[in-house]
Amino acid sequence: MEYLPLMARITRSLDEALAPITDGCMLAVPRETSGVAMAATRALIRRGVKRLHLVALPTSTLQTDLLIGAGAIATLETSAVSLGEFGAAPRFNAAILAGAIHMRDATCPALHAQFQAAEKGVPFMPLRGLIGSDLMAHRPDWKIIDNPFGNDDPIVLLPALKPDVALFHAPLADRDGNVYIGRERELVIMAHAAARTIVTVEEIHETDLLHDPLFAAGTLPGFYVEAVAVERRGAWPLPLPDRYGIDAAHMSEYARLAATPEGFAQYLDRYVYAKRAA
Amino acid sequence: MEYLPLMARITRSLDEALAPITDGCMLAVPRETSGVAMAATRALIRRGVKRLHLVALPTSTLQTDLLIGAGAIATLETSAVSLGEFGAAPRFNAAILAGAIHMRDATCPALHAQFQAAEKGVPFMPLRGLIGSDLMAHRPDWKIIDNPFGNDDPIVLLPALKPDVALFHAPLADRDGNVYIGRERELVIMAHAAARTIVTVEEIHETDLLHDPLFAAGTLPGFYVEAVAVERRGAWPLPLPDRYGIDAAHMSEYARLAATPEGFAQYLDRYVYAKRAA
Amino acid sequence: MTEFRDEELLADVICRLIGDARHVAVGAASPIPATAALLARERAGLHNSNRLYVSLLGSRAHTFFTDGARELFDCAGQGRIDVFFLSGGQIDGEGNINLVSVGDYERPKARFPGSFGSAYLYYVVPRVILFRTEHSRRTLVPKVDFISAPGGSPDNVVRPGGPIALITNRCLFEFDRMQRRFRLASVHPGHGVEEVVENTGFAFDRPAQVPLTPVPSAETLRLMRTVVAPMLAEIYPQFAQKVFGVAAPLPSAHA
Amino acid sequence: MTEFRDEELLADVICRLIGDARHVAVGAASPIPATAALLARERAGLHNSNRLYVSLLGSRAHTFFTDGARELFDCAGQGRIDVFFLSGGQIDGEGNINLVSVGDYERPKARFPGSFGSAYLYYVVPRVILFRTEHSRRTLVPKVDFISAPGGSPDNVVRPGGPIALITNRCLFEFDRMQRRFRLASVHPGHGVEEVVENTGFAFDRPAQVPLTPVPSAETLRLMRTVVAPMLAEIYPQFAQKVFGVAAPLPSAHA
């Protein structure tokens, strides 16, 4: 895989920024509370993206359920999918029961370790636990070795996970493509592990984020970022840390509509194809 | 090893904060540009600390040379020791030529990987490179295995490094022992890897660092910190990022004096035993 | 005696199980354990004992983590999390938990969200408390269909952690790691031993006399309702509303 | 022809070797490569070509790293550093470098600072430029006493990186990775081929006619002296002062 640090650019349109997310690519996205690019997700569905290998680090909610329901996902790799307090993820559950997607069940720290392996440019990362879990039986890519530093000490090795594209939503980016991610540091690991990183942000910060030490400490350098698009409330209806909370009323409406294929189709018409953003 | 998260406390005196650094313990310290606790180092020498296993992540300058000259070090584990632009590290070189300390030569990314292994609670971390370097011949604790995910693909495994104490200097701490480290994130890994972490700071920040998202993104939580002591210009004569630069005149003076045992003794009298801090 | 809700009783029981830990972490979708952890922190504060750190996954106000989603697991791997909570779509008598699916994994009859961090945290956190509010033969089964994480491991597997108890809407079980077996510790007020036996799909030990679960004190209920409940509203708005009548924050509340 | 200093010539040569890379990283104690990298960035900027990122280890102003000391090495492991620089107390004809000691490792005659990141970066950075301003039989030896990092590796060792050239105060060598051998590429003005042979401890190839190293243009010297030199003063105050007469910043300059 190539890692080409291109000059990060602020794109004129969201669709332009999302161009590298092609049918069949491996796409990495973060957990609900870390900044999910929902406006971008709706744009991808409008564009009709197909056969995605979606990797949610380490879990997912609405974003994954929406993409599954829209038929955009061939393979899903994550540790859990639900709507949190709003109940089960209806399209995820339906797809699993119908065998409509290939599920690669993981566990949170395993996914973190696999991204860290890619970040470090090593082929694998060890992890405790896992042995005796049925997850192992269904993940032939996870291996058990005898710890060379121990004595009869089995330990699991997990292969590096190198997504083609990482996609998330953040509060700020500057003109150099530096992105403020604050405490959501798994976004940094995602960007380091992925060949390309695409970010939507609430707004453009007009001064260099790296110049101010306070901002710099929570900034992903533009060096790792291929494209940035501005999308106000781009995580809606999901929360954006320190900016806005989850839209509980909307989540309840989604849970209700997505319970049936017909209701889900209505949801898509109303909130995705109608380009309604908020 | 026990990891007891004690309630971080602001100590009345530097010596009280340094009490856990006992003779013979494994002490981890950062590189010159990341915040070296030099005031604390002088206090340790005054106290007469002995037989330290010093691990400098990943390199060191004045701090290590001073501790070696003062006879405080039994084992040194790092990737390089010099005075940077001010030339060779005289006491380090003299000790190596005299066989006075046990040297464990490393390479920077290996030390980072070994601390990350401890941070993750795994017994080892893989790393590329190293094969064919004579470092391997002198580090029996570094092993080569055939990558289980490859085919005739030798790769090095490095054991986790768990220091008894991590010691560094930072700009700010609050009353809960939360410490602002900014971009110097290897300090976070050091604290996660070490059983105990002791920090000196320029000043106390009177509001909760975790409450302000901008500060929080660059803050090591007090949960990992055992003791904090306030030492203005506590990194002097070394630099503190975004606060002050290196004292070039003093470094030149040190390089000149430390060139001979007599000169080094004079330096200790003038700048360490005289308790002169700046 | 003061009136209380089932959730309040369970939180009180869990709070006692937490005891004097240094760091209690609570995962996603665990409002009752979150209530118990925050309650334990308040109590520790009141009694001036050692500070209790609480980390609520997904919370902004009630976690000290600043190193991203990875930190919870690294922290546990360092031995720095003393108590964690896990549930299961199915839980069996050996303490195995199933968070994945019912029936054949390839052709499941029902699907649960997934294993979350259980396949790691169950092994490394010294005291894992299992909780399942629905106590039935559907949830407490003889053998889980899928082992997300096993209740025990062979001696050669490094495993400092594991289950210490299972709490349900009917009773409290304690877990014996040597025998890999549950023992009925107490039955909640309004429930009986026979009822527990009838509704439990696995065999378990029990004393001749099964004690009644102590009810929460007025002081405990006051702490829960006045101090803890408002904290919960941040990440469990629905729960805080339903159980404690605390208004959920508006979406703009974080802004 | 404009007067220039040796350091300026070497920086100009290194700048050409850098070519149109995307990311050039410079380690500690490397003022001349730092000059070359900053010069290359300025040139790229002038010619509106693809942006060149430069990372100077230890600099605050001239690096984009925000993830701590680890990031440089992880970045290289990701294949995101195109050019890096290494030196050696000893360098031999196979491109092996010694940053550790002279004589027996257990009883050294002389000690160098240590291997720094060489035992990793030499393997993973595609284009490593070796530089050693002292060109003598003491530094350029038949066989190094200690291999901090080897010039080449067996075919089964994953190694995308390695040396492409060696620049000294006398000449420029290019490195042939297949043959693991240096070839004399050019001799600097004021120096001769025989002088190079006399002062080199290892055998190397050379063409019948060895070209003269081109001298820096007036424009290049202007860029170095007016734009680059002030940047260097941040981390190489002594060097900036000595070579370019730029005043070193006071300790308070960072405050």
Side-chain angles (χ1 to χ4, degrees):
Chain A
M1 174 173 62
E2 264 190 318
Y3 287 115
L4 294 184
L6 307 168
M7 179 157 178
R9 62 201 197 296
I10 313 299
T11 57
R12 289 177 304 288
S13 77
L14 177 57
D15 288 334
E16 181 188 343
L18 299 176
I21 303 176
T22 53
D23 290 354
C25 81
M26 189 191 291
L27 177 65
V29 296
R31 60 179 181 173
E32 179 179 272
T33 54
S34 296
V36 176
M38 286 306 299
T41 302
R42 290 184 289 266
L44 287 171
I45 291 172
R46 282 194 295 272
R47 199 188 73 195
V49 68
K50 288 274 173 293
R51 301 190 312 279
L52 291 177
H53 176 169
L54 187 74
V55 182
L57 178 68
T59 59
S60 189
T61 60
L62 177 66
Q63 181 180 35
T64 293
D65 206 55
L66 206 50
L67 285 167
I68 290 173
I73 295 183
T75 299
L76 174 63
E77 190 163 356
T78 191
S79 303
V81 182
S82 78
L83 298 182
E85 244 200 326
F86 304 92
R91 295 299 96 208
F92 163 73
N93 286 2
I96 293 287
L97 296 190
I101 62 172
H102 175 221
M103 182 67 197
R104 289 162 66 90
D105 268 293
T107 186
C108 305
L111 280 168
H112 288 300
Q114 293 185 268
F115 275 76
Q116 282 187 286
E119 175 181 59
K120 294 196 77 62
V122 293
F124 58 85
M125 191 72 73
L127 189 68
R128 287 298 186 190
L130 287 169
I131 296 168
S133 164
D134 285 340
L135 289 173
M136 292 297 296
H138 300 280
R139 293 300 301 268
D141 55 325
W142 293 359
K143 298 179 187 291
I144 299 178
I145 66 163
D146 188 25
N147 171 14
F149 297 88
N151 172 22
D152 181 26
D153 174 14
I155 186 168
V156 173
L157 299 185
L158 306 158
L161 199 44
K162 301 180 180 179
D164 299 308
V165 182
L167 170 68
F168 59 85
H169 185 70
L172 303 169
D174 66 20
R175 297 286 172 192
D176 290 334
N178 299 310
V179 177
Y180 187 75
I181 54 92
R183 273 164 285 190
E184 318 312 319
R185 298 203 64 84
E186 69 269 30
L187 302 178
V188 172
I189 298 173
M190 274 176 53
H192 289 172
R196 292 181 157 77
T197 291
I198 299 168
V199 184
T200 58
V201 297
E202 289 290 306
E203 57 192 308
I204 296 298
H205 187 76
E206 288 302 343
T207 61
D208 185 345
L209 285 164
L210 294 181
H211 186 74
D212 178 336
L214 264 185
F215 277 100
T219 294
L220 170 70
F223 172 78
Y224 298 101
V225 179
E226 175 151 342
V228 175
V230 178
E231 282 294 321
R232 275 217 173 276
R233 294 186 65 78
W236 176 85
L238 299 183
L240 182 62
D242 304 316
R243 288 298 185 105
Y244 45 87
I246 194 165
D247 184 339
H250 185 91
M251 289 299 289
S252 302
E253 181 183 5
Y254 176 81
R256 184 171 46 77
L257 287 172
T260 66
E262 301 68 29
F264 181 78
Q266 283 175 41
Y267 180 91
L268 286 186
D269 289 340
R270 197 175 307 166
Y271 295 107
V272 177
Y273 295 122
K275 279 180 167 257
R276 171 165 166 180
Chain B
M1 175 173 66
E2 262 190 318
Y3 287 114
L4 295 186
L6 306 170
M7 177 156 181
R9 63 199 195 295
I10 313 301
T11 59
R12 290 177 304 286
S13 77
L14 178 56
D15 288 333
E16 181 189 345
L18 300 176
I21 302 174
T22 54
D23 290 355
C25 81
M26 188 191 289
L27 178 65
V29 296
R31 60 179 180 171
E32 180 180 88
T33 54
S34 298
V36 176
M38 285 306 299
T41 302
R42 291 185 288 268
L44 286 170
I45 292 172
R46 283 195 294 272
R47 201 189 73 195
V49 68
K50 289 274 174 294
R51 302 190 313 279
L52 291 176
H53 176 169
L54 188 74
V55 183
L57 178 67
T59 60
S60 189
T61 60
L62 177 66
Q63 181 180 33
T64 292
D65 206 55
L66 206 52
L67 286 166
I68 290 173
I73 294 182
T75 299
L76 175 62
E77 190 162 356
T78 191
S79 304
V81 183
S82 78
L83 298 181
E85 243 199 326
F86 303 93
R91 296 300 95 207
F92 164 73
N93 285 1
I96 293 288
L97 296 188
I101 61 172
H102 175 221
M103 183 66 196
R104 290 162 66 89
D105 269 292
T107 187
C108 305
L111 280 168
H112 288 299
Q114 293 185 269
F115 275 77
Q116 282 187 283
E119 176 182 58
K120 294 196 77 60
V122 293
F124 59 83
M125 191 75 70
L127 189 68
R128 287 298 185 189
L130 287 169
I131 296 168
S133 164
D134 285 340
L135 289 173
M136 291 298 296
H138 299 280
R139 292 300 301 267
D141 55 325
W142 294 357
K143 298 179 188 289
I144 299 178
I145 67 162
D146 187 23
N147 171 15
F149 296 87
N151 172 22
D152 180 27
D153 174 14
I155 187 167
V156 174
L157 299 186
L158 307 158
L161 199 45
K162 301 180 181 180
D164 299 309
V165 182
L167 171 68
F168 59 84
H169 185 71
L172 303 169
D174 66 21
R175 297 286 171 191
D176 289 334
N178 300 310
V179 176
Y180 187 74
I181 53 91
R183 272 165 285 190
E184 318 313 317
R185 298 203 65 85
E186 69 269 30
L187 301 178
V188 172
I189 297 173
M190 274 176 54
H192 289 172
R196 292 182 156 77
T197 292
I198 299 167
V199 184
T200 58
V201 296
E202 290 290 304
E203 58 193 306
I204 295 297
H205 187 76
E206 288 301 343
T207 60
D208 184 345
L209 285 165
L210 294 181
H211 186 74
D212 178 337
L214 264 184
F215 277 99
T219 293
L220 171 69
F223 172 78
Y224 299 100
V225 179
E226 173 150 345
V228 174
V230 177
E231 280 295 320
R232 277 219 170 275
R233 293 186 65 78
W236 176 86
L238 299 183
L240 182 62
D242 305 314
R243 288 299 185 106
Y244 45 86
I246 195 164
D247 183 340
H250 185 90
M251 290 300 289
S252 302
E253 182 184 5
Y254 176 81
R256 184 170 47 75
L257 288 171
T260 66
E262 301 68 28
F264 181 79
Q266 284 174 40
Y267 179 90
L268 286 185
D269 289 340
R270 197 175 306 165
Y271 296 105
V272 177
Y273 296 123
K275 278 181 167 261
R276 170 163 166 180
Chain C
M1 185 186 87
T2 326
E3 286 298 307
F4 56 85
R5 302 186 50 122
D6 293 350
E7 293 86 349
E8 293 174 320
L9 176 81
L10 301 187
D12 182 48
V13 175
I14 293 172
C15 185
R16 273 195 300 278
L17 289 169
I18 289 171
D20 67 349
R22 316 270 189 138
H23 184 199
V24 178
V26 184
S30 310
I32 293 173
T35 306
L38 293 172
L39 177 62
R41 186 174 67 184
E42 290 307 313
R43 280 186 180 162
L46 287 178
H47 301 88
N48 299 318
S49 62
N50 213 324
R51 174 170 178 169
L52 173 63
Y53 285 88
V54 171
S55 299
L56 303 188
L57 198 67
S59 166
R60 207 65 174 160
H62 302 290
T63 175
F64 59 77
F65 294 139
T66 58
D67 205 15
R70 179 175 55 86
E71 188 172 6
L72 167 75
F73 306 101
D74 289 355
C75 195
Q78 293 155 29
R80 287 183 159 125
I81 296 180
D82 306 302
V83 180
F84 192 71
F85 303 88
L86 288 171
S87 185
Q90 295 178 327
I91 299 172
D92 71 24
E94 291 195 326
N96 301 314
I97 62 174
N98 173 8
L99 292 155
V100 169
S101 56
V102 176
D104 172 19
Y105 178 74
E106 302 301 341
R107 282 190 196 60
K109 292 198 220 63
R111 172 74 200 199
F112 307 130
S115 301
F116 290 100
S118 64
Y120 178 74
L121 294 173
Y122 208 28
Y123 297 75
V124 299
V125 176
R127 290 150 57 196
V128 175
I129 298 169
L130 299 171
F131 70 99
R132 181 69 218 228
T133 47
E134 180 196 334
H135 184 146
S136 71
R137 288 181 172 264
R138 193 179 77 93
T139 56
L140 307 188
V141 300
K143 187 99 191 67
V144 296
D145 294 346
F146 184 99
I147 299 176
S148 286
S153 299
D155 293 347
N156 69 330
V157 172
V158 170
R159 181 168 187 169
I164 61 164
L166 163 62
I167 181 154
T168 74
N169 58 314
R170 305 181 197 273
C171 69
L172 169 67
F173 292 106
E174 282 164 359
F175 190 74
D176 181 328
R177 284 196 199 169
M178 290 298 107
Q179 295 189 54
R180 290 191 64 174
R181 213 176 141 81
F182 287 105
R183 174 184 181 81
L184 185 59
S186 74
V187 175
H188 305 335
H191 300 276
V193 173
E194 283 321 306
E195 168 200 336
V196 166
V197 174
E198 275 163 33
N199 291 280
T200 306
F202 57 73
F204 56 88
D205 299 329
R206 61 198 233 214
Q209 289 301 321
V210 179
L212 202 65
T213 307
V215 303
S217 70
E219 167 63 6
T220 294
L221 290 170
R222 190 192 60 74
L223 273 178
M224 259 195 271
R225 294 166 181 177
T226 61
V227 181
V228 172
M231 298 176 180
L232 290 169
E234 176 205 1
I235 47 171
Y236 297 113
Q238 322 269 49
F239 177 83
Q241 175 64 45
K242 176 172 126 288
V243 177
F244 299 106
V246 171
L250 299 171
S252 61
H254 297 228
Chain D
M1 188 186 84
T2 326
E3 287 297 308
F4 56 84
R5 300 184 54 116
D6 294 350
E7 293 87 348
E8 293 173 321
L9 177 81
L10 300 188
D12 183 47
V13 175
I14 292 173
C15 185
R16 272 195 301 278
L17 289 170
I18 288 171
D20 65 351
R22 317 269 189 134
H23 184 198
V24 178
V26 184
S30 310
I32 293 173
T35 308
L38 292 172
L39 177 62
R41 185 175 66 183
E42 290 306 314
R43 280 187 180 161
L46 287 177
H47 302 84
N48 300 320
S49 62
N50 212 323
R51 174 170 179 172
L52 173 63
Y53 285 88
V54 170
S55 299
L56 303 187
L57 199 67
S59 166
R60 205 67 174 161
H62 302 290
T63 176
F64 59 76
F65 293 139
T66 58
D67 205 15
R70 179 174 56 85
E71 189 173 5
L72 167 75
F73 306 101
D74 288 355
C75 195
Q78 292 153 30
R80 287 185 160 120
I81 296 179
D82 306 303
V83 180
F84 193 71
F85 304 89
L86 289 171
S87 186
Q90 294 178 328
I91 299 172
D92 71 25
E94 292 195 323
N96 301 314
I97 62 174
N98 173 8
L99 292 155
V100 170
S101 56
V102 176
D104 172 19
Y105 177 75
E106 302 300 342
R107 283 191 194 59
K109 294 197 219 57
R111 171 76 199 197
F112 308 128
S115 301
F116 291 99
S118 64
Y120 178 76
L121 294 173
Y122 209 28
Y123 297 74
V124 299
V125 176
R127 291 150 57 196
V128 175
I129 298 168
L130 299 171
F131 70 101
R132 182 67 220 231
T133 47
E134 181 196 334
H135 183 148
S136 72
R137 287 180 173 266
R138 192 179 77 93
T139 56
L140 306 188
V141 301
K143 186 97 190 70
V144 296
D145 294 348
F146 184 99
I147 299 176
S148 286
S153 300
D155 292 346
N156 68 330
V157 172
V158 170
R159 180 167 188 171
I164 61 165
L166 163 61
I167 181 153
T168 76
N169 59 314
R170 305 183 197 272
C171 67
L172 170 67
F173 292 106
E174 283 165 358
F175 189 74
D176 181 328
R177 283 194 201 171
M178 289 298 106
Q179 295 188 53
R180 289 189 66 172
R181 219 177 134 80
F182 285 106
R183 174 185 180 81
L184 185 59
S186 73
V187 174
H188 304 335
H191 300 277
V193 173
E194 282 321 307
E195 167 201 338
V196 167
V197 173
E198 275 163 31
N199 291 280
T200 306
F202 56 74
F204 56 87
D205 299 329
R206 60 196 234 218
Q209 290 301 319
V210 179
L212 201 66
T213 306
V215 303
S217 70
E219 165 63 6
T220 294
L221 291 169
R222 190 193 60 75
L223 272 178
M224 256 194 275
R225 294 166 182 177
T226 62
V227 182
V228 172
M231 299 176 180
L232 289 168
E234 176 204 0
I235 49 172
Y236 297 114
Q238 322 268 40
F239 177 84
Q241 174 65 46
K242 175 171 128 293
V243 176
F244 299 106
V246 173
L250 299 172
S252 59
H254 296 231

